[in-house]
Amino acid sequence: MQIVEDLIRLLGKDAVLTGKDCAPWSQDWTGGYMWTPLAVVRPRTTQEVSETLKLTYANDVAVVPVGGNTGLTGATVAEGAIMVSLDRMTKIEALSTDAQTVTVQAGVVLERLHEAAEDAGLFFPMTFGARGSARIGGMLATNAGGSNVLRYGNSRDLCLGIEAVLPDGRIVNLLSGLHKDNSGLALKHLFVGSEGTLGIITRATLKLVPRPKARATAMVAAKSLPDALKLLRRLQAETGGQVEAFEYMPRLFMTMHMAHFQDATEPFDAPHDVNLLVEVAATSDRDSTPDDTGVTPIASLLEDTLFSLLHGGEILDAVVAQTEAQRRSMWARREAAAEITFARTPYIDSDIAVPLDKVAAFLDAAQAAVAAIDPGAETLVVSHLGDGNIHHTVYPTRTDPGVKDAVKEAVEKVTLAFGGSFSAEHGIGLSKRASMARQKDPVALETMRAVKAALDPKGLMNPGKVLPD
Amino acid sequence: MQIVEDLIRLLGKDAVLTGKDCAPWSQDWTGGYMWTPLAVVRPRTTQEVSETLKLTYANDVAVVPVGGNTGLTGATVAEGAIMVSLDRMTKIEALSTDAQTVTVQAGVVLERLHEAAEDAGLFFPMTFGARGSARIGGMLATNAGGSNVLRYGNSRDLCLGIEAVLPDGRIVNLLSGLHKDNSGLALKHLFVGSEGTLGIITRATLKLVPRPKARATAMVAAKSLPDALKLLRRLQAETGGQVEAFEYMPRLFMTMHMAHFQDATEPFDAPHDVNLLVEVAATSDRDSTPDDTGVTPIASLLEDTLFSLLHGGEILDAVVAQTEAQRRSMWARREAAAEITFARTPYIDSDIAVPLDKVAAFLDAAQAAVAAIDPGAETLVVSHLGDGNIHHTVYPTRTDPGVKDAVKEAVEKVTLAFGGSFSAEHGIGLSKRASMARQKDPVALETMRAVKAALDPKGLMNPGKVLPD
């Protein structure tokens, strides 16, 4: 192909992969999507991204940007398209401890950024299971969430500024280390979460925060989800908002987890239905300096609060991690969610958010709606409960072809009825375009299409993603 | 005019003001802008806003939305246009203490929302001088900032969802009480901060937070601005991030304040150059329950920290408010900033943000740049120092016509050289369009124009604002 030859001439042979060399970029990590790209271009600089896009634009060739390729929605499917991989743009360009900001190229792996922040005595709080592979550009393009959103916000909230390359190769400089910048339309926010449909994010300035000096982690069994929400409020009140994670795992999660891992155990002496992973984190010396017995005040506070709730009958059981190993094991259980979820097939998964006070009612209604279609179906839930975010997976017993769509639509309808969203943190990609068509406000869809057409008039950037036809 | 008669027929006579009745909507509060609108329409519902805009759109009539009309940049100038005032859409529709959210019509006055949150035992943290008149729609349309941004973020960060009416009258429903919602382009963020150029915000769902149960407030004299930044980091570390405000007032602020208010006094026994208003706020019982002497732990913590810093020679002086009256008086001095700034004329004011670690160097460089134009000019600074946000006012001694533009451009250039923004929290409106043209990234301007044309193809929504010609 002429375009591939032109790209090789432009960037050099080592920057343009074709044929078998494209294999790592030819499927997503679930294996659910496979494709054959025309070539994978691996630019080293923003300028090279810009030159690449000038060429593809002039030749009307579709472009799919890719970071760590760890998404779950098929957003990097690139059949016959040029993929632009950011994996060689991995410079951490500037880190200011005084301003508590860091500027990076978009190909930096999330875990590398964690380490760089830690080395500087600071903390980059965005984290999720794929942190060892996911890259900052993809994290921003999908507005990734995770377990710390409760305290620190999502990727969007941690992003002070970006640089991006538009579909025609122009570079738009929205880099900023500022906490306030009201100078015109919020273009940064348009690119964040756009899943590569408006351009390619090439650099970003991100917020860093003080590094927690001590953490305290517990598993808690609550009587019900409304009681769990009360527990969250109580812990926030006692700690002055230092709750960093509040994760919900129901009974089925526990049994599937123990079936999957031979040496896994129940978190409590008796099995419970509402199992919560709770973590609080202290940044102050006051709360993090251990006493004579080695216990930190934040850990005492968590322990005292849980003891008092247990004593008052407000929770059913609680176990506070006494060692880092115990803490790691509590987290390992939670972080095995994707693995155990997708090990059982067939599955019908949704990534849902509802208002915090609607989670329990939503789950009941969704259960009923699924049972009406397939009475034998089981539903696995794991939830960032503090954000109202529910990873909801149905295992159908019926195998006829219509069941998947019927279940998906039924769950969506219940979601909408509770004021929720059918996509909380995973994005739309290819896999949720039908949901967008069915459930999103029609005027919102028209407005998105107008913005897309304005910024990408030829429709070359990650075509066929996010917006339904 | 036919359009006015049509609007009266549509909404009733009491909803359409003309002639002298428009007086309250015919100038901004500084008196710097005056105009004559065609009429002021006062709809009661989103539906009425929609019908109004369908009519203006069909007749190619310009529309200017207005909330409390408390802006500082001429964003509501409406010569010959139809103004749409949200002042009758003042319903607080739903407040959930469990979800900690509130849904309001856009005409709710900020101070009413403060009261409603307080009544529910919660807190809406956005606050600024004009809170008694400013309305939520305008607060969001300008992405208002203020003194609490340091802890709680700006208006954008507190907004979970909006409803807006597009220029042609279509209603776009982006209302959401969700903390995570990745379903397509971030249209909400496009309307927030767009200053009425893309449509009219009619409703919003906002975050509430736990109400601080105790506050501790102090005036602190630091040796330098870098020392002030160290003080902020120290206070954040000691309190675990409970610093709510960190405001800087230099010497000239003190002398102008005392000249303006006869009974005003110095905050310290001796005059100092770097005067800081510091406030910490506790939401936990642990930090807010007074001891036998009536002192709260958060106040002790602030006092102990300041005492230790004073003892170590790291600050020059400190006074902790012992009563609510003393606290109010510390805040009254800071909140008089606009009044004392604009009482002296002529003035050349800028609302600037720079990265936190660049404030001192920026102020020195700006001082030198201004002195090169007008050696006798004085510069008044008041700053939300914790956000890097500087309200910068130059009082020139030269009166020749070019001096204002020369000073403005010189200050802008220094701002940009330090990676700053010429508009931090006040927005662009009319008054900063020239700065947009001079200083904003050209590709960003082109992209904003493309978005504006896509959403408002006839150019009828708040025409002539934000984007330069």
Side-chain angles (χ1 to χ4, degrees):
Chain A
M1 289 279 296
Q2 189 58 45
I3 182 78
V4 176
E5 284 167 35
D6 290 347
L7 285 166
I8 290 171
R9 210 168 6 248
L10 187 69
L11 303 176
K13 219 172 156 34
D14 68 313
V16 184
L17 306 180
T18 55
K20 279 186 191 152
D21 293 342
C22 295
W25 289 274
S26 297
Q27 61 174 55
D28 72 340
W29 80 266
T30 69
Y33 290 99
M34 307 187 90
W35 62 90
T36 309
L38 210 51
V40 177
V41 178
R42 301 170 66 210
R44 280 149 293 210
T45 62
T46 300
Q47 203 52 47
E48 288 192 352
V49 176
S50 167
E51 285 166 23
T52 301
L53 266 55
K54 277 181 188 160
L55 205 57
T56 52
Y57 193 79
N59 290 281
D60 293 338
V61 175
V63 171
V64 177
V66 60
N69 200 22
T70 62
L72 292 168
T73 63
T76 56
V77 170
E79 189 59 47
I82 297 291
M83 293 186 83
V84 177
S85 167
L86 281 292
D87 70 307
R88 295 208 293 183
M89 291 180 58
T90 57
K91 267 201 208 100
I92 295 178
E93 299 185 328
L95 189 154
S96 163
T97 48
D98 285 339
Q100 301 193 341
T101 59
V102 62
T103 299
V104 300
Q105 285 187 311
V108 168
V109 169
L110 177 54
E111 203 161 61
R112 292 295 88 68
L113 181 55
H114 289 162
E115 291 160 1
E118 173 120 7
D119 289 347
L122 292 166
F123 182 50
F124 184 68
M126 176 54 48
T127 190
F128 42 83
R131 60 183 169 273
S133 315
R135 297 176 191 273
I136 300 304
M139 179 193 90
L140 291 172
T142 59
N143 186 29
S147 306
N148 283 345
V149 170
L150 179 60
R151 184 168 189 177
Y152 300 103
N154 50 30
S155 296
R156 179 187 302 288
D157 299 312
L158 296 168
C159 176
L160 294 172
I162 59 162
E163 173 193 77
V165 178
L166 298 177
D168 61 7
R170 281 176 299 157
I171 299 166
V172 56
N173 181 356
L174 308 164
L175 274 182
S176 153
L178 306 175
H179 292 267
K180 290 180 174 173
D181 184 5
N182 283 347
S183 53
L185 303 180
L187 297 180
K188 168 184 79 183
H189 286 290
L190 209 45
F191 288 98
V192 173
S194 66
E195 304 186 34
T197 62
L198 301 181
I200 301 182
I201 295 172
T202 45
R203 292 197 289 160
T205 300
L206 303 164
K207 275 188 217 174
L208 301 172
V209 299
R211 190 159 57 86
K213 292 174 183 156
R215 288 195 170 82
T217 311
M219 289 295 305
V220 182
K223 282 188 254 183
S224 67
L225 282 171
D227 272 14
L229 193 57
K230 275 188 216 159
L231 169 67
L232 172 61
R233 296 303 176 215
R234 175 72 179 271
L235 289 171
Q236 293 285 33
E238 292 293 337
T239 62
Q242 298 190 79
V243 179
E244 204 147 288
F246 197 79
E247 302 287 313
Y248 164 55
M249 291 158 279
R251 183 92 302 266
L252 183 60
F253 185 96
M254 294 299 160
T255 54
M256 284 179 65
H257 182 257
M258 288 184 293
H260 195 82
F261 298 99
Q262 295 305 319
D263 54 348
T265 55
E266 287 280 355
F268 311 105
D269 295 339
H272 290 291
D273 287 336
V274 179
N275 305 281
L276 303 162
L277 168 61
V278 173
E279 187 160 276
V280 296
T283 55
S284 68
D285 286 340
R286 180 171 70 126
D287 280 343
S288 60
T289 308
D291 66 13
D292 299 344
T293 66
V295 178
T296 61
I298 188 79
S300 296
L301 186 58
L302 179 63
E303 225 160 322
D304 294 350
T305 304
L306 294 177
F307 182 81
S308 143
L309 290 168
L310 193 58
H311 194 72
E314 293 170 88
I315 57 175
L316 296 172
D317 207 346
V319 180
V320 177
Q322 301 299 324
T323 63
E324 178 63 18
Q326 284 175 11
R327 172 179 176 258
R328 285 307 323 151
S329 137
M330 289 179 182
W331 272 110
R333 183 190 287 117
R334 170 61 185 86
E335 290 185 339
E339 191 177 339
I340 65 171
T341 300
F342 302 131
R344 175 171 168 185
T345 53
Y347 59 80
I348 306 163
D349 63 319
S350 307
D351 168 41
I352 287 161
V354 293
L356 295 190
D357 54 349
K358 299 288 193 298
V359 173
F362 162 78
L363 289 174
D364 288 346
Q367 182 71 35
V370 171
I373 297 163
D374 181 352
E378 282 196 296
T379 297
L380 175 65
V381 164
V382 57
S383 166
H384 305 299
L385 195 61
D387 310 314
N389 181 189
I390 301 157
H391 299 309
H392 184 274
T393 308
V394 174
Y395 300 104
T397 58
R398 279 175 52 189
T399 50
D400 44 313
V403 70
K404 185 164 178 170
D405 286 346
V407 166
K408 252 193 152 39
E409 281 193 55
V411 172
E412 267 172 37
K413 267 190 198 155
V414 177
T415 305
L416 271 275
F418 284 94
S421 170
F422 55 90
S423 175
E425 60 177 13
H426 291 172
I428 304 301
L430 269 185
S431 68
K432 294 189 183 169
R433 285 167 73 225
S435 307
M436 281 286 273
R438 283 192 297 259
Q439 306 296 352
K440 197 77 189 171
D441 176 62
V443 180
L445 282 178
E446 290 163 19
T447 308
M448 288 181 202
R449 284 201 189 90
V451 171
K452 166 77 174 172
L455 268 64
D456 182 21
K458 290 187 175 183
L460 298 176
M461 279 307 304
N462 211 1
K465 312 296 163 42
V466 182
L467 290 168
D469 296 325
Chain B
M1 290 279 295
Q2 188 58 43
I3 182 78
V4 176
E5 283 167 35
D6 289 348
L7 284 166
I8 291 172
R9 204 159 20 240
L10 187 69
L11 302 177
K13 217 170 158 36
D14 68 314
V16 183
L17 307 180
T18 53
K20 280 186 194 153
D21 293 343
C22 295
W25 288 273
S26 297
Q27 60 174 56
D28 73 340
W29 80 267
T30 69
Y33 289 98
M34 307 187 87
W35 63 88
T36 308
L38 210 52
V40 177
V41 177
R42 301 170 66 211
R44 281 149 293 210
T45 62
T46 300
Q47 204 52 47
E48 288 192 354
V49 175
S50 167
E51 285 167 23
T52 300
L53 265 54
K54 278 180 187 160
L55 204 58
T56 51
Y57 193 78
N59 290 280
D60 294 337
V61 174
V63 171
V64 176
V66 60
N69 200 24
T70 62
L72 293 168
T73 64
T76 57
V77 170
E79 189 62 46
I82 297 290
M83 294 185 84
V84 176
S85 168
L86 282 292
D87 70 308
R88 295 208 295 183
M89 290 179 59
T90 57
K91 268 203 206 95
I92 295 178
E93 297 184 330
L95 188 155
S96 164
T97 49
D98 285 338
Q100 301 193 340
T101 59
V102 62
T103 300
V104 300
Q105 286 187 311
V108 168
V109 168
L110 176 54
E111 203 162 61
R112 293 294 88 67
L113 181 56
H114 289 162
E115 291 161 1
E118 173 121 9
D119 288 348
L122 293 166
F123 181 51
F124 184 68
M126 177 52 50
T127 190
F128 42 82
R131 61 184 169 271
S133 314
R135 297 176 190 274
I136 299 304
M139 178 193 89
L140 291 172
T142 58
N143 186 29
S147 307
N148 283 346
V149 170
L150 179 61
R151 184 167 189 178
Y152 299 103
N154 51 31
S155 295
R156 179 186 303 286
D157 300 312
L158 296 168
C159 176
L160 294 172
I162 59 163
E163 173 193 78
V165 178
L166 297 177
D168 61 7
R170 281 176 301 158
I171 299 166
V172 56
N173 182 356
L174 308 165
L175 274 182
S176 154
L178 306 175
H179 292 266
K180 289 180 175 173
D181 184 3
N182 283 348
S183 54
L185 303 180
L187 298 180
K188 169 184 79 181
H189 286 290
L190 209 46
F191 288 98
V192 173
S194 67
E195 304 185 34
T197 62
L198 300 180
I200 301 181
I201 296 172
T202 44
R203 291 199 291 161
T205 300
L206 303 164
K207 274 188 216 172
L208 301 173
V209 299
R211 190 159 57 86
K213 292 174 183 155
R215 288 197 171 81
T217 311
M219 289 296 304
V220 181
K223 281 188 256 183
S224 68
L225 283 172
D227 272 14
L229 192 58
K230 276 188 217 160
L231 170 66
L232 172 60
R233 296 302 176 216
R234 175 73 180 267
L235 289 171
Q236 293 286 33
E238 293 292 338
T239 62
Q242 299 189 77
V243 179
E244 206 148 287
F246 197 79
E247 302 286 313
Y248 164 55
M249 291 158 278
R251 183 93 300 265
L252 183 61
F253 185 96
M254 293 299 160
T255 53
M256 283 179 67
H257 182 258
M258 288 184 293
H260 194 83
F261 297 100
Q262 295 305 318
D263 53 349
T265 56
E266 288 279 356
F268 310 105
D269 295 340
H272 289 293
D273 287 337
V274 180
N275 304 280
L276 303 162
L277 169 61
V278 173
E279 187 159 276
V280 295
T283 55
S284 69
D285 285 341
R286 181 172 68 126
D287 280 342
S288 59
T289 309
D291 66 12
D292 299 343
T293 65
V295 178
T296 62
I298 188 79
S300 295
L301 186 58
L302 179 63
E303 226 159 323
D304 294 350
T305 305
L306 293 176
F307 182 81
S308 142
L309 290 168
L310 193 57
H311 193 73
E314 292 171 88
I315 57 175
L316 296 172
D317 206 347
V319 180
V320 178
Q322 300 299 325
T323 62
E324 178 62 19
Q326 283 174 12
R327 172 178 175 259
R328 286 306 325 150
S329 137
M330 289 178 183
W331 272 109
R333 182 191 289 117
R334 170 61 186 85
E335 291 186 337
E339 190 177 339
I340 65 171
T341 300
F342 302 131
R344 176 172 166 185
T345 53
Y347 60 80
I348 306 163
D349 63 319
S350 307
D351 168 40
I352 287 162
V354 293
L356 295 190
D357 53 348
K358 300 288 193 296
V359 173
F362 161 79
L363 288 175
D364 288 346
Q367 182 72 32
V370 171
I373 297 162
D374 182 351
E378 282 195 298
T379 298
L380 176 65
V381 163
V382 57
S383 166
H384 304 300
L385 194 62
D387 309 314
N389 181 188
I390 301 158
H391 300 309
H392 184 274
T393 308
V394 174
Y395 300 104
T397 57
R398 280 175 53 190
T399 51
D400 42 313
V403 71
K404 184 165 178 168
D405 286 346
V407 166
K408 251 191 151 43
E409 281 193 55
V411 172
E412 268 172 37
K413 266 188 200 159
V414 176
T415 304
L416 271 274
F418 284 94
S421 170
F422 56 89
S423 175
E425 60 177 13
H426 291 173
I428 304 299
L430 269 185
S431 68
K432 294 190 184 168
R433 284 166 74 225
S435 307
M436 281 286 273
R438 282 192 297 258
Q439 308 294 353
K440 197 79 189 169
D441 176 61
V443 181
L445 282 178
E446 289 163 19
T447 309
M448 288 182 201
R449 283 201 189 93
V451 171
K452 166 76 174 173
L455 268 64
D456 183 20
K458 290 187 175 184
L460 298 176
M461 279 306 305
N462 211 2
K465 312 294 163 46
V466 182
L467 289 168
D469 295 325

